[in-house]
Amino acid sequence: MGLGGEIVLFIMAVLLIYTVWSERRLMKKFQTDSSPFAKMPKVPVTLAPAPKEMTEQLTPPWQKTYGNQLQEQGYQLIGDYSYASLIFFWARVFIAPDKKSTLLFVNWVEGKEGGKIVIPNLEIYSFSSDSFLLTACAQDGAAKLLTGAKRPTEEQFSLHLKAVYAEVAAKPIVEEHQRRVGEWEAKGIKVRELTPANVLHSLSKVFS
């Protein structure tokens, strides 16, 4: 084999190595992008304590009553939180007694001074190492903000488009989420244990 043949073999070997490297790189990228968290912001949304003057004035009475009932049932109240730079949203955050889920009263504030109204969501989240479950009850306006451009998959997200206004409306949502967590665990998925120290960080991954 002459010099020309050796050059051809060398070029073919380089092309083969490049092709294998490229395929591995693309496969790795595909596997990364298939993660539910892959397209979420690399820098988590910061949740900060919500202004007390807002939560004290605008928290619906049923949330105060139901929140007290939840604490009597063993739920741990973490506090009221909002986006650090925004005041049109806040969430009252609880951790369930089994520490497998976090329940949120999420309130969206619409209108201006003197004409503000609160549109409430009830949202319940559970997390694994690479995914999450969300069961929610929301009215139309708040649901658009809840789902947004990064709408979770049907497996992750169960949404009920109706108002939640009392325990009678919230209890079925809590029971549904517990059932979904049980189905998740039956597949061998380990549910992350939530604590006051990690629950906000977990929520920040799905808030955007």
Side-chain angles (χ1 to χ4, degrees):
M1 180 182 293
L3 179 61
E6 292 178 355
I7 293 175
V8 170
L9 288 177
F10 175 76
I11 293 173
M12 290 177 65
V14 170
L15 289 174
L16 178 61
I17 293 171
Y18 177 77
T19 300
V20 172
W21 176 80
S22 297
E23 288 181 353
R24 288 183 177 178
R25 185 180 179 188
L26 288 172
M27 182 60 69
K28 183 177 180 181
K29 183 178 186 301
F30 173 78
Q31 290 173 344
T32 302
D33 288 349
S34 65
S35 167
F37 295 122
K39 296 181 180 179
M40 293 184 181
K42 300 303 180 183
V43 179
V45 171
T46 300
L47 293 174
K52 287 187 177 181
E53 60 272 17
M54 176 175 71
T55 59
E56 289 177 357
Q57 294 177 12
L58 298 177
T59 297
W62 73 267
Q63 289 186 5
K64 297 177 182 179
T65 301
Y66 187 40
N68 291 335
Q69 294 174 1
L70 287 174
Q71 291 180 81
E72 292 172 0
Q73 295 168 17
Y75 280 77
Q76 183 177 3
L77 175 62
I78 304 303
D80 294 320
Y81 292 88
S82 63
Y83 298 156
S85 60
L86 301 173
I87 59 171
F88 67 87
F89 148 96
W90 86 90
R92 179 158 294 181
V93 181
F94 298 83
I95 295 178
D98 62 7
K99 296 181 173 57
K100 294 180 180 179
S101 61
T102 177
L103 183 149
L104 280 64
F105 298 141
V106 179
N107 296 293
W108 299 96
V109 182
E110 294 188 354
K112 299 180 179 180
E113 292 295 337
K116 289 184 177 179
I117 60 172
V118 174
I119 300 178
N121 286 9
L122 175 69
E123 301 174 18
I124 309 173
Y125 295 84
S126 293
F127 304 90
S128 69
S129 60
D130 62 355
S131 190
F132 62 93
L133 292 179
L134 166 56
T135 308
C137 186
Q139 298 177 66
D140 290 347
K144 292 177 182 178
L145 292 167
L146 175 65
T147 57
K150 298 175 181 176
R151 184 185 179 101
T153 65
E154 290 185 5
E155 181 180 359
Q156 293 170 318
F157 186 29
S158 176
L159 174 64
H160 298 267
L161 288 175
K162 59 182 180 181
V164 56
Y165 53 86
E167 179 185 4
V168 66
K171 190 175 180 180
I173 307 301
V174 174
E175 293 173 348
E176 177 185 349
H177 189 82
Q178 291 174 332
R179 174 182 57 77
R180 294 181 67 210
V181 170
E183 293 173 351
W184 219 21
E185 291 181 310
K187 297 178 182 179
I189 298 173
K190 183 174 178 56
V191 180
R192 183 185 306 158
E193 180 176 314
L194 296 173
T195 67
N198 69 23
V199 66
L200 295 182
H201 177 71
S202 297
L203 288 169
S204 72
K205 289 186 176 182
V206 294
F207 284 0
S208 59

